[in-house]
Amino acid sequence: MVSPLVCVKRVVDSSSEVVLTEDGQGVDGRFAGFTTSAHEECAVELAVRIAADGGGGATVLTLGDADAVEQLRSALAVGCTAATHVLADPQAFGPADVAREIAAVVRDHAAAGTPHDLVLLGNDAADSGDFQVGIRLAYELGWPVVNGVSAVSVDGGVVTASGSGPDGHETFRLPLPAVVTVLEGGVEPRYPTVPGRMKARKAPIEEREPAAEPVGPSRVRLVLPPPSPSTVQVLGEGPAAAPAVVDLLEQLGVLAR
Amino acid sequence: MILVLVEVSPAGEAVETSREAITFARDLAAAGGGVPIDAVLVGTPDDALVGVLAAHGVRRIHALTGAAYDSFSGAAWAAGVEQVRAGAGSVVVMASGTPRGNEVLAHLGARAAVPMAANVVSFGGLSPFTVTRQVVGGAALEEMQLSQRPALFTVAGHAVEARPADTHGAGELVVETPEVPDADLVARVVSTDEPEPDLSGTLKSAKVVVGAGRGAGSAEGFDDLLELADLLDASLGVSRVVTSLGWRPHHEQVGQTGSRISPDLYIPCGISGAIQHWAGCSSAKAILAINTDPDAPMVTKATHAVIGDLHEVIPAVNAEIRRRRG
């Protein structure tokens, strides 16, 4: 039986305009939509499939404020069977802090008789882009880790994970327990069914306080890049612009053949 | 001393992003009073590669060799880099913000229990050592202090232009075979399949990319776009919504979680220009946006634009190209 833990993060929807808080310490949520990081949607899908294949259940975990329960319920609606919410201000937690909190959950669940032998995470979060929570978690737990893969399966206590590398399509094989970080693209996340949504709405969620005081993300402040003045040259409207477009293509030397 | 992890292509050349990282390191070294720059790489470099690194100002090249490096393991690479760092006494370790670079430096950060900053675009000051890095797909920047040693960071692609140094470095080659514990070899590549190529490779290296977003309308709505791509010897790149809807495969996706492209010309058609898409195409030298909305971010950020429906504009452009070619 394989019972993976999959970690998700509530992040600003990338179609939103980013407005920062007055103290420059985070994105102002009043002006943003929120979603689950794209890589993690795929990690959830893989966790659900691995659990189903292995006769276990997938548990979804997040560290975030009260609103992050929405991301947990989304994962429950597509097949996760349990959820844990570390209630905390995510902006106060750096990648090492988050890794320590996930490790604490793994240890506590093992002590409670519901162990996880595989932890799946997104390769990086869409907001902080730190690229390191999974690796730091692996060192916390003393488990091996592979990164940036798009396919994961488990058979006989062995994880097979694969993804695109600089020299071709790479395959890793490693024993459980293990940590794996997932890149978008290998699987299509499923849409929740209506019964799935109904069930997720009522599902119990384990709520926890952080196990330790966070050190923080080494952040001085966030700033917005200076707006670059628009220098767009409008070539025209509709099909009538076609000659001007082709003139431009010729000028840029991309039409020669 | 500054240590830069250099990635080497299958052809034995330093990849462009690694040369960018060395260029960035030179600016940092100059601000620090001219501290030396060493490179660390996996495998034994040939004379040409040693020459290129010397021309970029590298003093010493540490080549990691041995069976532990026959196939990739992030932990094993980190073990080797850490031993070189400790031996050379470097206080800064850098890499390019590629999957390998971010992975190896994250291992170093976890081992040393120090922060690691990914996708840095500039440094602010040395005391305290402050870097600025891209977050939220480049829509915001984070100023981050790296006061612990070693200071670890990766350089965002195209944050600087790779260029040789004014003064050659010595380029002294040092072959090293660090001990790698078995535990660091548990998660290593067991096979690399050449027959399944990186399908996004042509997109990343294309000189011209024709882009398409929701405005394509359907999976069948790409015929004219594909014809334009064919006429221009271009690759097709699409927005995330197009792959999410299943209209086109993921390897064609441009953006924060897709390919990052830097063509001479990008022609986004029916793409509004959401942050995550802009993160993947902002390095294009010229952008010709075709969109019905003159206020769409992709239009206002472009160098050139046509206001109109791609299904009307693109056939007219294709016809005009065919007409001029006779």
Side-chain angles (χ1 to χ4, degrees):
Chain A
M1 190 171 79
V2 184
S3 297
L5 179 72
V6 58
C7 304
V8 300
K9 185 177 184 185
R10 178 179 174 83
V11 296
V12 173
D13 187 330
S14 60
S15 60
S16 307
E17 185 188 354
V18 172
V19 177
L20 303 180
T21 54
E22 277 186 19
D23 63 2
Q25 291 304 302
V27 174
D28 194 329
R30 291 175 301 171
F31 303 98
F34 287 87
T35 185
T36 302
S37 263
H39 299 317
E40 291 158 6
E41 288 179 342
C42 293
V44 167
E45 176 63 30
L46 286 167
V48 169
R49 290 187 192 185
I50 290 166
D53 290 347
T59 299
V60 59
L61 163 70
T62 198
L63 181 149
D65 57 24
D67 290 337
V69 73
E70 185 188 336
Q71 276 56 52
L72 294 178
R73 296 213 183 273
S74 294
L76 288 165
V78 292
C80 286
T81 52
T84 299
H85 190 170
V86 181
L87 276 157
D89 173 9
Q91 291 176 1
F93 283 69
D97 299 317
V98 175
R100 270 195 296 275
E101 292 299 332
I102 298 170
V105 170
V106 171
R107 292 191 191 101
D108 288 352
H109 283 188
T114 54
H116 310 289
D117 40 12
L118 176 66
V119 183
L120 298 168
L121 306 92
N123 188 61
D124 60 285
D127 55 355
S128 53
D130 282 313
F131 293 91
Q132 54 194 284
V133 171
I135 289 171
R136 289 182 187 270
L137 170 65
Y139 280 86
E140 284 284 335
L141 295 170
W143 294 2
V145 57
V146 293
N147 287 275
V149 294
S150 50
V152 186
S153 61
V154 180
D155 188 18
V158 175
V159 180
T160 301
S162 63
S164 179
D167 302 337
H169 193 80
E170 297 173 335
T171 300
F172 298 82
R173 207 161 286 127
L174 62 162
L176 292 175
V179 176
V180 174
T181 75
V182 174
L183 271 180
E184 185 188 24
V187 289
E188 285 296 321
R190 69 189 74 182
Y191 288 103
T193 59
V194 173
R197 280 204 195 102
M198 298 294 286
K199 200 172 162 190
R201 208 178 292 169
K202 296 176 192 160
I205 289 175
E206 177 198 11
E207 292 188 351
R208 293 170 52 105
E209 295 293 316
E213 277 294 308
V215 174
S218 306
R219 171 178 297 162
V220 178
R221 62 179 180 142
L222 293 179
V223 293
L224 293 178
S228 48
S230 175
T231 55
V232 61
Q233 180 193 359
V234 177
L235 301 177
E237 293 189 16
V245 169
V246 182
D247 286 348
L248 175 71
L249 298 174
E250 286 179 344
Q251 279 170 32
L252 295 174
V254 298
L255 201 53
R257 180 151 36 157
Chain B
M1 191 270 282
I2 299 171
L3 184 63
V4 183
L5 172 64
V6 171
E7 293 172 60
V8 180
S9 72
E13 296 168 341
V15 301
E16 183 181 9
T17 48
S18 288
R19 289 186 287 110
E20 291 172 0
I22 298 170
T23 307
F24 188 107
R26 284 206 310 273
D27 292 340
L28 185 60
V35 297
I37 298 168
D38 282 11
V40 57
L41 49 78
V42 168
T44 305
D46 61 16
D47 291 347
L49 176 53
V50 169
V52 166
L53 296 177
H56 279 71
V58 170
R59 174 188 70 168
R60 193 171 291 148
I61 300 149
H62 304 267
L64 302 175
T65 63
Y69 302 101
D70 286 348
S71 62
F72 175 72
S73 156
W77 279 36
V81 173
E82 171 54 22
Q83 286 177 57
V84 168
R85 186 208 68 79
S90 55
V91 293
V92 176
V93 183
M94 299 169 52
S96 50
T98 57
R100 289 278 198 262
N102 283 320
E103 180 171 353
V104 174
L105 261 66
H107 273 277
L108 289 173
R111 285 163 183 257
V114 300
M116 188 278 274
N119 286 329
V120 166
V121 292
S122 64
F123 62 94
L126 296 178
S127 183
F129 185 29
T130 310
V131 293
T132 299
R133 71 186 196 95
Q134 294 173 336
V135 292
V136 202
L141 300 170
E142 179 184 41
E143 293 174 9
M144 188 172 163
Q145 227 172 66
L146 296 175
S147 50
Q148 292 171 267
R149 294 293 174 265
L152 307 173
F153 68 95
T154 65
V155 181
H158 311 304
V160 294
E161 189 177 347
R163 59 181 191 277
D166 295 334
T167 309
H168 269 230
E172 178 195 353
L173 178 61
V174 183
V175 177
E176 311 207 13
T177 53
E179 285 290 313
V180 177
D182 288 345
D184 289 335
L185 294 168
V186 172
R188 68 190 304 191
V189 171
V190 294
S191 67
T192 303
D193 297 332
E194 301 287 0
E196 194 177 335
D198 176 6
L199 294 170
S200 63
T202 53
L203 175 59
K204 289 173 188 164
S205 61
K207 294 293 180 195
V208 182
V209 174
V210 175
R214 188 189 292 275
S218 68
E220 292 72 39
F222 285 80
D223 291 352
D224 296 326
L225 294 156
L226 289 166
E227 185 187 0
L228 177 61
D230 186 47
L231 288 167
L232 298 177
D233 260 346
S235 288
L236 182 71
V238 300
S239 66
R240 183 164 184 248
V241 68
V242 168
T243 57
S244 297
L245 289 167
W247 294 350
R248 301 293 304 178
H250 180 267
H251 67 78
E252 291 179 355
Q253 184 175 315
V254 170
Q256 193 177 358
T257 55
S259 294
R260 297 191 179 218
I261 59 171
S262 51
D264 293 339
L265 176 64
Y266 181 45
I267 310 175
C269 306
I271 297 180
S272 64
I275 292 163
Q276 88 93 21
H277 189 81
W278 184 249
C281 70
S282 57
S283 296
K285 290 188 180 72
I287 294 177
L288 165 60
I290 298 173
N291 205 298
T292 53
D293 179 3
D295 297 320
M298 187 57 82
V299 173
T300 57
K301 290 176 178 176
T303 47
H304 301 83
V306 172
I307 310 306
D309 183 337
L310 72 91
H311 293 297
E312 297 173 1
V313 176
I314 299 298
V317 171
N318 291 344
E320 178 67 12
I321 293 172
R322 286 195 301 269
R323 188 187 68 77
R324 292 196 193 187
R325 283 183 177 165

